[in-house]
Amino acid sequence: MKKILGILLVAFVLIQFFPIDQTNPAPTPQMDFLNIKKTPESTAKLIRSSCYDCHSNETKYLWYANIQPVGWFLKNHIDEGRQKLNFSTFANYEPKKQAHQLDEAAEMVEKGEMPMDSYVIIHSDAKLNDAQKQELIKYFKLIASDTRILNHLPAEAEKE
């Protein structure tokens, strides 16, 4: 048993020499969702606190990101989040994709899938009450609808 614990301790120490890259891409305010959609400040604050750590290039890495394998899991999660939806590069999306991403964001908040429970355990400011959830859902749906109207895209129900 001591031998197994010793091996595990050595392995734990060794993996600390393989940290994650905590560098965020350079900010591009002219492409950021909150800027291009002129999001009201109260809503922008909710989006920043509940979404931006995983779905933007503005991730704030906390102390636990320096401990492996937690850092590896975190980095993978952030990379996946940015791949699915990146608010920092939102202007790069085609209007159809913008509307679809916002519909999905509203749906994820509505179902309680976002922000993730594992995230709000450590980031209590990201936890949304019912009124905040409704504010985000309404805003995401409004901007998705406006995007469809401005770009002459079919309504959500007509898409499929």
Side-chain angles (χ1 to χ4, degrees), residues 24 57 62 120-121 148:
N24 285 321
N57 295 339
L62 299 181
V120 297
I121 288 170
R148 284 190 183 85

Side-chain angles (χ1 to χ4, degrees), residues 68-119:
Q68 307 319 320
V70 174
W72 299 337
F73 170 78
L74 181 67
K75 181 66 173 166
N76 183 56
H77 179 77
I78 291 166
D79 289 346
E80 284 181 11
R82 287 177 180 168
Q83 183 181 12
K84 288 180 182 174
L85 170 61
N86 190 334
F87 286 111
S88 294
T89 59
F90 196 79
N92 284 341
Y93 297 152
E94 292 294 322
K96 184 177 179 180
K97 183 174 181 177
Q98 287 183 5
H100 177 73
Q101 294 290 47
L102 293 172
D103 287 330
E104 283 197 358
E107 183 180 333
M108 297 297 266
V109 172
E110 201 164 28
K111 288 181 175 179
E113 294 177 19
M114 289 288 163
M116 293 176 66
D117 291 338
S118 58
Y119 182 76

Side-chain angles (χ1 to χ4, degrees), residues 17-36:
F17 290 100
F18 300 94
I20 61 170
D21 179 8
Q22 296 184 22
T23 308
N24 285 321
T28 50
Q30 70 278 12
M31 293 177 17
D32 188 89
F33 171 78
L34 300 176
N35 293 332
I36 65 171

